[in-house]
Amino acid sequence: MRYIIIGAGAVGGAIGGRLAEAGHEVALVARGAHYEALRTHGLRLMTSEGTRTHRLPTVDGPAALGELRPDDVLVLAVKTQDSEAALEAWGPAPVAGGGTAAEQLPLVCAQNGVESPRIALRRFRRVYGVCVWLPATLVEPGAVSAAGAPLTGILHLGRHPHGTDETARRIAADLEKAHFEAPVVPDVARWQYAKLLGNLANAIEAVSGVLTSEEGLALFARVRAEGEAVLAAADIAYTGEEEQKKVRDNKIRFEPFDGSERGGGSSWQSLDRGTGTIEADYLNGEIVLLGRLHGVRTPLNELLQRLANTFARERRAAGSLPVAELVRLADEAVAFVQEERAPRP
């Protein structure tokens, strides 16, 4: 199978580079300065084993790649806010022998959140969800750091909305030869919702920096509790902390190459690169949506969604809001909701 990585950034670049190292045919899809760097210099992938440069076919869309093959696997690794545009571009792409990508090819959503597989299923017949545990950073155009060791990542994989099949098992087998663990599970959404709860911290990290202070961690605990209450009200199952811990079991340790502390995650990186967009609508915003659907107030996640979007839109510096100020705003948001609920005299 040939793997076409649609969005060869941090996660996509790490997956594509590792698959290429394992001998698989890989094509990268990127845009802007990253596309130019990949085309000119190749993908520079940094792992605990060293730095390698992979000169892989790189395109900015399906037309540049030509007719797709029946054995192609599309790996969607853009941020969720970019999924619709990517699917619109790739869905109609013709496949050799007849049909389109949307009709003939498997689409693997290797992204944060739970919304992209739903978006994809409107267009693609065969959609696979992935719960992505993969510490990776787009360091600069053309360069991706994947500092996990001994495994690069753990990628739970399954059909969306549920089930498994031979294609999932073949993809998993390829990933497991490429420094990943890739359990094939019939309930991948259960793992994705668990990851979603952890990703509620992304907006805190984006606006106020990496979560290291007691204040920041305490705020995240409140934000996560809000998310757990919403999932309970919606009757949505997710894997618990013990089950997740058992699966990880020190399989992924962060091993920086220069002795530095771990940098920010995906949302922080979006602000740091000044992309103008951020994934908060599909992380904290997912909790807000479910809360509104099921009658649960979510003032903390609403605040974080709004702040993250404002920071992205106005291109404010990542981590520039002091944690103490963020906590103050959070307390105000909760107090406002409590005042609204209080009985009127």
Side-chain angles (χ1 to χ4, degrees):
M1 297 187 291
R2 177 175 64 170
Y3 290 89
I4 300 172
I5 311 296
I6 304 171
V11 168
I15 292 174
R18 280 304 207 182
L19 283 169
E21 288 174 7
H24 299 288
E25 191 175 357
V26 174
L28 305 178
V29 183
R31 59 187 179 181
H34 189 47
Y35 163 75
E36 296 296 339
L38 292 172
R39 289 266 294 181
T40 305
H41 305 293
L43 170 66
R44 189 156 54 94
L45 179 63
M46 293 166 275
T47 72
S48 58
E49 301 152 21
T51 300
R52 281 89 57 208
T53 298
H54 303 286
R55 297 192 174 275
L56 304 171
T58 302
V59 299
D60 58 0
L65 196 59
E67 195 172 47
L68 300 177
R69 304 186 330 213
D71 66 344
D72 283 338
V73 175
L74 305 182
V75 179
L76 186 66
V78 299
K79 297 289 198 318
T80 302
Q81 65 267 27
D82 298 319
S83 289
E84 187 64 49
L87 295 168
E88 183 177 1
W90 285 87
V95 178
T100 65
E103 294 166 337
Q104 301 293 336
L105 301 183
L107 178 81
V108 179
C109 298
Q111 301 159 285
N112 284 334
V114 297
E115 182 63 16
S116 267
R118 285 190 75 247
I119 297 173
L121 207 58
R122 295 176 186 274
R123 299 175 184 270
F124 281 75
R125 291 177 179 171
R126 298 162 62 198
V127 177
Y128 299 79
V130 180
C131 177
V132 180
W133 282 334
L134 170 53
T137 303
L138 179 61
V139 179
E140 60 187 32
V144 170
S145 165
L151 291 176
T152 299
I154 300 177
L155 308 173
H156 283 77
L157 172 68
R159 286 292 296 260
H160 179 80
H162 48 73
T164 63
D165 61 15
E166 183 58 28
T167 298
R169 287 186 283 272
R170 290 178 63 197
I171 294 170
D174 287 349
L175 289 169
E176 294 203 339
K177 295 174 184 175
H179 291 271
F180 295 99
E181 187 170 291
V184 178
V185 294
D187 55 352
V188 68
R190 196 168 66 93
W191 295 88
Q192 291 173 308
Y193 275 104
K195 177 78 181 320
L196 172 66
L197 289 174
N199 284 144
L200 299 180
N202 285 27
I204 301 175
E205 186 177 68
V207 302
S208 293
V210 179
L211 279 174
T212 55
S213 69
E214 290 186 10
E215 277 183 302
L217 291 170
L219 176 59
F220 170 54
R222 295 165 63 193
V223 171
R224 181 186 172 101
E226 204 174 78
E228 290 174 344
V230 164
L231 295 187
D235 197 25
I236 293 174
Y238 58 93
T239 53
E241 290 291 326
E242 285 302 314
E243 186 175 0
Q244 294 179 63
K245 183 179 179 181
K246 183 178 179 181
V247 168
R248 296 176 201 172
D249 194 27
N250 293 320
K251 295 174 183 176
I252 304 177
R253 298 186 305 274
F254 177 70
E255 294 188 355
F257 318 119
D258 56 3
S260 62
E261 295 293 325
R262 181 174 183 176
S266 55
S267 297
W268 185 94
Q269 291 176 46
S270 292
L271 291 186
D272 189 54
R273 295 198 304 273
T275 63
T277 66
I278 199 165
E279 59 194 337
D281 284 346
Y282 303 99
L283 300 178
N284 306 90
E286 180 69 24
I287 297 302
V288 172
L289 171 62
L290 288 171
R292 290 170 180 167
L293 289 173
H294 296 279
V296 179
R297 299 299 295 270
T298 57
L300 297 177
N301 281 281
E302 286 183 37
L303 171 69
L304 290 172
Q305 180 186 8
R306 183 172 67 253
L307 284 174
N309 280 318
T310 299
F311 268 57
R313 184 175 59 253
E314 298 179 358
R315 288 178 165 77
R316 297 188 194 177
S320 58
L321 181 69
V323 173
E325 176 63 11
L326 178 58
V327 171
R328 185 188 68 78
L329 292 173
D331 290 341
E332 286 184 355
V334 172
F336 179 77
V337 168
Q338 291 173 340
E339 183 178 336
E340 277 190 324
R341 285 178 171 175
R344 302 297 180 185

